[in-house]
């Protein structure tokens, strides 16, 4: 069970993020829930790349050939984090505009499409 | 759909999703039992092929450099989207001007303390040096353009937080910021396209690799890392500028 903990945690975070998005009463809260949901991918990727006894894949001060964790998934995560931050900024700016135009940040009240 | 019905619908689907997760992870290797060949192969060859000691960045800016170029443009497009949504509108601009006057007035009432000002200057210097260090050493040690850029972009924020809104305004209004944002994005594509003129594939290294472990080593990895640093700095500063201006305008509306 403990060996599969990363998968369980990833699924757990994903589902709670989804729950937040579905039941949210506030668009800002909903955007944050989307961020929570996305963090599940970090847990999953790091879990896949982890190797028992492996160290960081930086060969500045360790000899080549040392057992290291998979750098591939870390590279995927690295760009993901920065992109997530800006996409979050974009989503939040939409929330601000929605508040300006519709006067509400409750997704329940945003039913009518107006030009 | 009522909120209750939706929650019930969600719980049923979530249970299904959890079951699919469990089924999907059934044959996955346990934690720490790494089986994929790619990580092992790339850590073996990155040093010889690219003279880079940080394999994560070697992958980011070289082995999967084309993907990173795509992600780079997601970043670019998101910043562009925020700027577009918050584009200045005529009536608002006037209010913003009125408000900045009020703010000046406020600053007169509450002078910035010397302690805060001096420690802010010290912090900004440290952050800029550290940010440039991180962005420039991406090919050697943990770091690179994305991380360094974020550190560099937080320096103007410290200026703002310490109460020097005017200085902040002057820094972020500089055309250099926009130049960094667009130049960084364009530079990445240009470095990639430059290889085509040498008859090589897109993003092939065309710069001498240098000595492994030197600052000027690893060819295009170091160059692209620095360019990404420029773009991320520019992008985040533009985001902060836009949001902080929006806050100032919103304050004006309330009054």
């Amino acid at each position: 069970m403990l060996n599969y903990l990363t998968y369980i945690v990833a699924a757990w975070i994903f589902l709670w993020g989804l729950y937040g998005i579905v039941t949210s009463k506030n668009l800002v809260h909903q955007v944050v829930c989307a961020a929570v949901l996305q963090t599940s991918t970090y847990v999953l990727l790091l879990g896949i790349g982890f190797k028992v006894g492996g160290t960081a894949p930086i060969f500045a001060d360790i000899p080549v050939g040392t057992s290291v964790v998979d750098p591939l998934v870390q590279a995927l995560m690295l760009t993901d984090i920065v992109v997530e931050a800006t996409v979050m900024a974009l989503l939040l700016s939409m929330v601000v505009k929605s508040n300006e135009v519709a006067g509400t940040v409750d997704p329940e009240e945003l039913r009518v499409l107006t030009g | 759909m009522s909120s209750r019905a939706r929650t019930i619908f969600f719980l049923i689907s979530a249970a299904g999703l959890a079951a699919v997760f469990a089924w999907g992870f059934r044959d996955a290797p346990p934690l720490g039992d790494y089986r994929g060949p790619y990580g092992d192969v790339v850590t073996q060859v990155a040093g010889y092929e690219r003279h880079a000691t940080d394999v994560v960045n070697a992958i980011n800016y070289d082995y999967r450099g084309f993907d990173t170029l795509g992600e780079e443009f997601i970043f670019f497009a998101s910043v562009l989207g925020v700027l577009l949504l918050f584009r200045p509108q005529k009536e608002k601009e006037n209010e913003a001007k009125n408000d900045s006057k009020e703010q000046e007035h406020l600053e007169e009432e509450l002078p910035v303390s010397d302690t805060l000002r001096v420690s802010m200057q010290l912090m900004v210097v440290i952050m800029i040096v550290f940010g440039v260090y991180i962005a420039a050493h991406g090919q050697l040690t943990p770091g690179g353009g994305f991380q360094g850029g974020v550190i560099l972009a937080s320096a103007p924020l410290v200026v703002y937080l310490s109460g020097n809104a005017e200085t902040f305004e002057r820094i972020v209004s500089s055309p250099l910021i926009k130049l960094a944002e667009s130049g960084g994005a364009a530079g990445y594509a240009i470095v990639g396209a430059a290889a085509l003129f040498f008859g090589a594939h897109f993003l092939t290294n065309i710069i001498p690799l240098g000595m492994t472990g030197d600052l000027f080593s690893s060819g295009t990895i170091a160059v692209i890392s620095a360019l990404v640093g420029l773009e991320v700095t520019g992008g985040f500063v533009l985001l902060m500028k836009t949001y902080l201006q929006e806050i100032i305008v919103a304050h004006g509306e309330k009054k």
Side-chain angles (χ1 to χ4, degrees):
Chain A
M1 188 70 173
L2 204 65
N3 287 334
Y4 293 89
L5 200 62
T6 43
Y7 301 120
I8 297 164
V9 169
W12 181 254
I13 297 173
F14 185 93
L15 289 170
W16 270 119
L18 206 59
Y19 173 79
I21 292 173
V22 170
T23 60
S24 182
K25 294 273 181 287
N26 187 318
L27 285 173
V28 177
H29 172 258
Q30 205 163 30
V31 171
V32 175
C33 287
V36 170
L37 187 147
Q38 204 190 358
T39 51
S40 68
T41 59
Y42 306 158
V43 178
L44 182 64
L45 284 174
L46 282 182
I48 289 170
F50 179 66
K51 190 192 282 181
V52 173
T55 176
I58 316 289
F59 294 100
D61 45 11
I62 56 171
V64 177
T66 316
S67 171
V68 292
V69 298
D70 187 358
L72 205 74
V73 285
Q74 300 196 356
L76 287 172
M77 266 184 54
L78 191 152
T79 43
D80 193 17
I81 291 170
V82 176
V83 169
E84 185 207 341
T86 37
V87 170
M88 213 102 298
L90 182 61
L91 287 173
L92 286 173
S93 69
M94 286 176 187
V95 175
V96 172
K97 283 291 152 187
S98 146
N99 187 36
E100 260 172 36
V101 174
T104 175
V105 287
D106 188 349
E108 286 289 310
E109 289 172 32
L110 288 171
R111 283 170 186 271
V112 188
L113 197 66
T114 50
Chain B
M1 198 186 287
S2 78
S3 114
R4 202 182 138 75
R6 189 167 50 193
T7 309
I8 292 168
F9 183 68
F10 167 77
L11 288 176
I12 295 166
S13 348
L17 193 59
V20 174
F21 268 137
W23 185 62
F25 291 145
R26 188 192 40 170
D27 287 334
L31 180 68
D33 181 14
Y34 177 69
R35 290 177 192 174
Y38 302 110
D40 293 331
V41 171
V42 82
T43 47
Q44 293 294 328
V45 299
Y48 299 112
E49 280 187 358
R50 299 310 321 271
H51 292 212
T53 51
D54 182 353
V55 184
V56 177
N57 273 326
I59 291 172
N60 233 341
Y61 301 125
D62 191 68
Y63 291 104
R64 61 182 286 277
F66 195 61
D67 286 353
T68 310
L69 182 65
E71 265 158 26
E72 180 87 352
F73 278 96
I74 297 176
F75 176 87
F76 190 76
S78 303
V79 173
L80 219 62
V82 174
L83 293 184
L84 191 70
L85 280 172
F86 285 146
R87 65 189 178 280
Q89 285 152 7
K90 275 264 162 62
E91 35 334 340
K92 277 193 177 178
E93 250 174 19
N94 295 333
E95 280 175 42
K97 267 176 201 158
N98 291 339
D99 202 67
S100 66
K101 265 178 208 158
E102 272 173 42
Q103 207 170 12
E104 274 167 38
H105 183 63
L106 229 141
E107 267 169 30
E108 275 165 30
E109 280 174 18
L110 292 162
V112 179
S113 80
D114 285 344
T115 324
L116 193 61
R117 216 182 53 238
V118 172
S119 52
M120 177 272 283
Q121 285 167 348
L122 199 69
M123 254 181 93
V124 166
V125 170
I126 292 170
M127 282 170 94
I128 289 176
V129 171
F130 188 57
V132 170
Y133 164 77
I134 293 282
H137 287 73
Q139 69 277 22
L140 304 174
T141 46
F146 284 106
Q147 298 91 322
V150 174
I151 297 170
L152 281 173
S154 349
L157 192 64
V158 172
V159 175
Y160 178 83
L161 288 177
S162 66
N164 293 313
E166 241 174 274
T167 323
F168 173 79
E169 192 70 35
R170 219 170 43 237
I171 296 169
V172 299
S173 303
S174 158
L176 283 176
I177 299 294
K178 281 181 187 163
L179 198 68
E181 149 92 337
S182 44
Y188 195 155
I190 289 169
V191 168
L196 300 177
F197 291 102
F198 291 84
H201 292 295
F202 189 71
L203 276 173
T204 311
N205 182 50
I206 43 160
I207 301 170
L209 286 171
M211 276 279 290
T212 306
D214 275 2
L215 177 58
F216 295 104
S217 64
S218 76
T220 46
I221 295 176
V223 176
I224 291 173
S225 174
L227 286 169
V228 168
L230 267 185
E231 199 212 330
V232 172
T233 312
F236 270 101
V237 169
L238 282 177
L239 281 185
M240 278 185 299
K241 177 197 175 190
T242 319
Y243 266 94
L244 289 173
Q245 273 175 348
E246 190 69 15
I247 289 168
I248 291 168
V249 171
H251 249 262
E253 273 172 4
K254 238 183 240 172
K255 282 165 193 166

